Amino acid sequence: MATSVNSATSTSTLSSLSAKTGMAGLVSGLDTDSLVESLTSASRAKITKQQQNLQLLEWKQSSYRGVSKVLKEFQSKYLDVLSTNNFRSAAMFNAVSATASSTKVAVSTTSAASAGTITVNKISQLATNQKITSAEGVSKPLEGTLDQAQLLSGINETTSKSFLMKLDGKIKTITLDQAFKDSLGTKTFEEALQTKLKDAFGTTDGTNPMVGVDVTGGQLSFTPMEGSTLSIHALNDDTDTLKYLGLEDKQSNKMTTSMALEDLTFKNALTPGADGKVKLTINSIDFEFDKTETLSSVMSKINASDAGVTLAYSSINDQFTMTAKNSGAGDNIVIAETAGNLMTALGLTIATGATASDGVNAKLTVNGKDIIRTSNTVDVDGVKIELKELSNDAITVTSKADATSLKDTIKSFVEDYNNMIETMNKLVKEDYDTAYPPLTDDQKAEMSEKEIESWEAKAKVGLLRGDKLIKGIANQMQSMIYGSAVNGGISLYDLGISSAGYAENGKLKIDEDKLTTAIETKSNAIQELFTTADTGLAVQLNDIITSAVKTSGVKGTRGSLIEMAGYESTLSNTENNIYDDIQKINKNVTKLKTSLKDEETRYWSKFTALETALQQLNTQSSILTQFSSGA
């Protein structure tokens, strides 16, 4: 049987000669192909062995990655901060549920809750947040002093004046031409311009314009329909036309938050400091903004800071609001401007007509006792009561033990832990059968797909038998589970979780009755057993798994399994020990193939010389025979 191998990395077949450079036994009758193949069999065997080693490495890599996948899935399901079943979180161990007799409150429990009832006799006041609200209309109105004479002086038969108007995102070009100028003989400037805007934007009801025009005492103003945003822009940098209208380029009746501070037309003009910056302090947090920064950026930075406030803008009312994130009475918004006048421009000062409303505390009566809190969320003996509405009627909050949900989650945790341990144990304990090496190409050609699949399934078994890396990870988990993690006065045994026996190789079993009792009576201790910093079971288990499957960081700082075999779709996919070994084998195979070709060429040259010599002898013999016959 020919010896060749098919692998994901090296797929060349050696079943045929790679160098045929002469006559193939035409004179001698020798099977030159077979002879050369036989003479180079030792070299071919070396290549086949390397290719089989390559396939074994790839299978080993796949097995290691399979273990990584199982560990990662367990970690994601039970140890990740985003998981609803995060065993490192105290909140997961709530074994008490709460219900309320009224929707005027919402209730939930913590691990400190116990069965019982709480009576909310009365909710007389809800906590509110301190707020500063500007007067409506912080933007400079679309109005100015009209210079009609200058505007019209530049309009004639060949020259017109144009500008752009944008209404709620819809842009129109307004052109004042000779026809417009002539119409002023029968119409006022206001009437003529209103006709232009009606033609451009239409009306709300067939009569009232979408954009109104008013000229009173030389003052021109534009007013869009209620709630709309209207802005005016120079066409082709013709700012003179806007100047004659008494307006500024990009002027709007509302704030455009994507625009720079310096380009916004505030009713109370923005005046930066000498360095072009505005500086202020909100609740002892310093802010500094350049005049070129956008309004949305300013708002985002303030809202994301530790100042504890939210700055918002309403385009409907053209109004800013600053609201304290903390509710309750007290000075929760303290502002000081140190350079420029940003708060004045935003209308958030008393001088600009802003109104301030103080926050108040929540007031309620619980179990006959009056309570005052700065927040609408009140914690009573481990039960969180969120106040929704005022109430003069008593509300009963009932807490009762609910072990079912937590018990099911713990059972699932143990089951998946056992599967994880079993996966690793199986790989390090199963025997390798040397009777099933990787198949060669010629062997596969003689087999059906089903036979190949069956063969390779057996060939992959036992490749990681006795593997120290996987055994080490499994031993770490078992040692931690059985030995060191005993906190809060209890151990896993007290929960009814114990070893499933020597034959089960580290797997666990559960006494459900004992687990139920522990959950109902020792929920706080169970929480501590799993979540205590550094020593908690879940904390330690997460550390062990992370040390094995961490994919972040540079090579040399990742998890042990990742350093060995890498992981798909990460940089480690081609930065791992097995990948390096595969690359070395591939280079060696390339060298061996080159050497084989040279060897085949040498043999072919010799056999070709033999054929040539035989042909010459035959020719000479024929000539001699002819001479002999002629004599």
Side-chain angles (χ1 to χ4, degrees), residues 26 37 56 98 163-164 167 222 270 298 300 363 380 386 388 415 461 549 616 628:
L26 295 177
E37 186 171 351
L56 291 173
F163 57 91
L164 300 176
L167 177 66
F222 296 107
L270 177 72
V298 170
S300 294
K363 295 181 180 180
V380 180
E386 185 178 355
K388 298 288 188 180
E415 181 180 349
V461 173
V549 300
Q616 290 174 348
S628 174

Side-chain angles (χ1 to χ4, degrees), residues 52 431-439 443 455-456 458-461:
Q52 287 177 319
D431 293 323
Y432 177 66
D433 193 340
T434 55
Y436 291 92
L439 293 168
Q443 288 171 331
W455 180 287
E456 292 192 339
K458 295 175 182 177
K460 294 176 183 178
V461 173

Side-chain angles (χ1 to χ4, degrees), residues 126-132 308-310 322-330 332-333 356-361 374-376:
L126 296 179
T128 60
N129 303 67
Q130 185 179 5
K131 182 184 295 186
I132 301 176
V309 297
T310 300
M322 183 175 288
T323 307
K325 292 180 180 179
N326 291 329
S327 57
N332 292 319
I333 303 178
S357 58
D358 294 331
V360 299
N361 294 325
T374 59
S375 168
N376 285 317

Side-chain angles (χ1 to χ4, degrees), residues 93-98 115 399-407 519-520:
F93 294 91
N94 293 350
V96 174
S97 61
S399 303
K400 62 180 181 179
D402 179 18
T404 302
S405 178
L406 180 56
K407 183 176 75 171
I519 291 173
E520 291 177 346

